[in-house]
Amino acid sequence: MQTTRPDSPVKRFFKGVIIALGFILPGVSGGVLAAILGIYERLLGFMAHFRQNFKRDFWYFVPVGLGGIVGIALLSAPLEYLLAHWQVIVLWGFAGAIVGTLPSLNQTAVAQSPRDGIDHLWFWGTLLISGGLLYFMSDLFGTLPANFGGFVVAGALIALGVLVPGLSPSNLLLILGLFTPMLTGFKNFDLLGVYLPIAIGGVLAMALFSKGMDYLIHRFHSRVYHFILGIVTASTILILVPNSHAAESISYAGTTWMTLVWSALALVAGIALGYWMSRLEEKYK
């Protein structure tokens, strides 16, 4: 009988580095990356049933957490530079990466039961409602100050991006005006002003919502994933749509034909990368 070889700490460390992409890349979900790398369900179970197998699971996720911290520290500065100088090309590449993962996410949605009319309602309803809410979020809720309290909210959104595969916290942070200040804080290693409140917000969100997500995924698997598909589709579209209501939004001002060509190439490359990443899911599960 063939047994699955457990991940080494080094592999788990690099998985954490990859999952960190979902914390800071617009359009990318840490939850999707965790699912692709085969650790999402174990993470959700660990947070939902904290006292069960605590020692085993805690030490399992220590390398993942360290990898996440290192990934954030290493990626923040180049990402800030790329978004400042090649925003349109970079965001189209990010959108392509999400599009490439949609076939895998769709397969997950129908893995336990065939799609029915209610699933279609969940998808289209979520797509339209979440798209409207995200587009007008700054009008509805205003922008958050880039202070300790604001970054606690950012940490909670990042945690939700892990708990809800397909939810991209960076999209929400862009709309709320916290994304660039967060990247600057990460780049400058602002431990007390940025890292600490984000960690506090993340832990609180994990503690409050992990049991609920664990229950919903096991009880209403198809509905939850069609809800996720709706959010993914809406948020991916919106990162490519200029939004005067958002504090940070894509801008096509001064865009040349060459920029459009490179954006198209980035989109195709992103789709290929996203599809390749989604194919890794079965390997790592």
Side-chain angles (χ1 to χ4, degrees):
M1 181 177 178
Q2 187 177 6
T3 58
T4 302
R5 185 178 178 183
D7 286 346
S8 68
V10 174
K11 282 186 177 181
R12 279 178 270 141
F13 175 85
F14 283 106
K15 286 185 179 184
V17 173
I18 294 171
I19 291 171
L21 294 171
F23 299 164
I24 61 176
L25 295 185
V28 180
S29 164
V32 167
L33 295 176
I36 289 170
L37 296 175
I39 64 174
Y40 172 73
E41 290 187 6
R42 182 165 181 173
L43 174 62
L44 188 59
F46 174 46
M47 296 306 301
H49 309 286
F50 199 67
R51 289 177 290 183
Q52 295 180 13
N53 301 314
F54 172 79
K55 185 176 180 180
R56 184 196 67 183
D57 286 336
F58 175 80
W59 289 112
Y60 178 89
F61 283 110
V62 164
V64 178
L66 292 174
I69 294 172
V70 171
I72 287 172
L74 292 176
L75 295 169
S76 294
L79 177 59
E80 184 183 45
Y81 178 85
L82 289 172
L83 286 172
H85 293 84
W86 296 293
Q87 183 201 49
V88 174
I89 298 171
V90 171
L91 290 182
W92 275 86
F94 292 162
I98 296 303
V99 172
T101 65
L102 288 179
S104 175
L105 193 57
N106 182 64
Q107 289 178 4
T108 302
V110 295
Q112 295 188 6
S113 60
R115 182 177 288 115
D116 60 20
I118 302 299
D119 289 330
H120 283 287
L121 287 175
W122 269 106
F123 170 74
W124 288 106
T126 303
L127 172 64
L128 296 173
I129 294 172
S130 67
L133 288 175
L134 289 173
Y135 188 82
F136 295 105
M137 180 175 285
S138 60
D139 286 345
L140 294 172
F141 304 107
T143 56
L144 293 178
N147 56 20
F148 195 94
F151 288 125
V152 169
V153 174
L157 291 174
I158 289 172
L160 289 176
V162 176
L163 289 173
V164 183
L167 178 64
S168 172
S170 297
N171 293 4
L172 305 178
L173 295 174
L174 277 166
I175 295 169
L176 293 172
L178 291 173
F179 185 71
T180 299
M182 181 185 74
L183 285 185
T184 302
F186 284 153
K187 181 187 69 174
N188 295 332
F189 294 95
D190 188 350
L191 297 179
L192 295 180
V194 177
Y195 280 89
L196 178 61
I198 284 178
I200 291 172
V203 170
L204 288 175
M206 285 281 191
L208 291 172
F209 299 118
S210 57
K211 277 187 177 293
M213 278 303 302
D214 185 55
Y215 172 80
L216 290 173
I217 284 178
H218 285 89
R219 183 69 177 82
F220 305 103
H221 182 274
S222 179
R223 311 297 190 229
V224 169
Y225 274 94
H226 281 87
F227 171 81
I228 292 169
L229 275 169
I231 293 179
V232 173
T233 305
S235 61
T236 304
I237 292 171
L238 287 179
I239 65 172
L240 303 179
V241 176
N243 184 357
S244 60
H245 304 274
E248 300 178 78
S249 172
I250 192 170
S251 173
Y252 294 100
T255 299
T256 64
W257 283 106
M258 188 56 64
T259 301
L260 295 177
V261 170
W262 280 110
S263 298
L265 291 174
L267 176 69
V268 173
I271 292 173
L273 176 63
Y275 183 78
W276 174 73
M277 288 170 57
S278 67
R279 293 299 91 196
L280 292 176
E281 182 175 3
E282 291 304 317
K283 178 180 177 181
Y284 283 102
K285 269 189 175 179

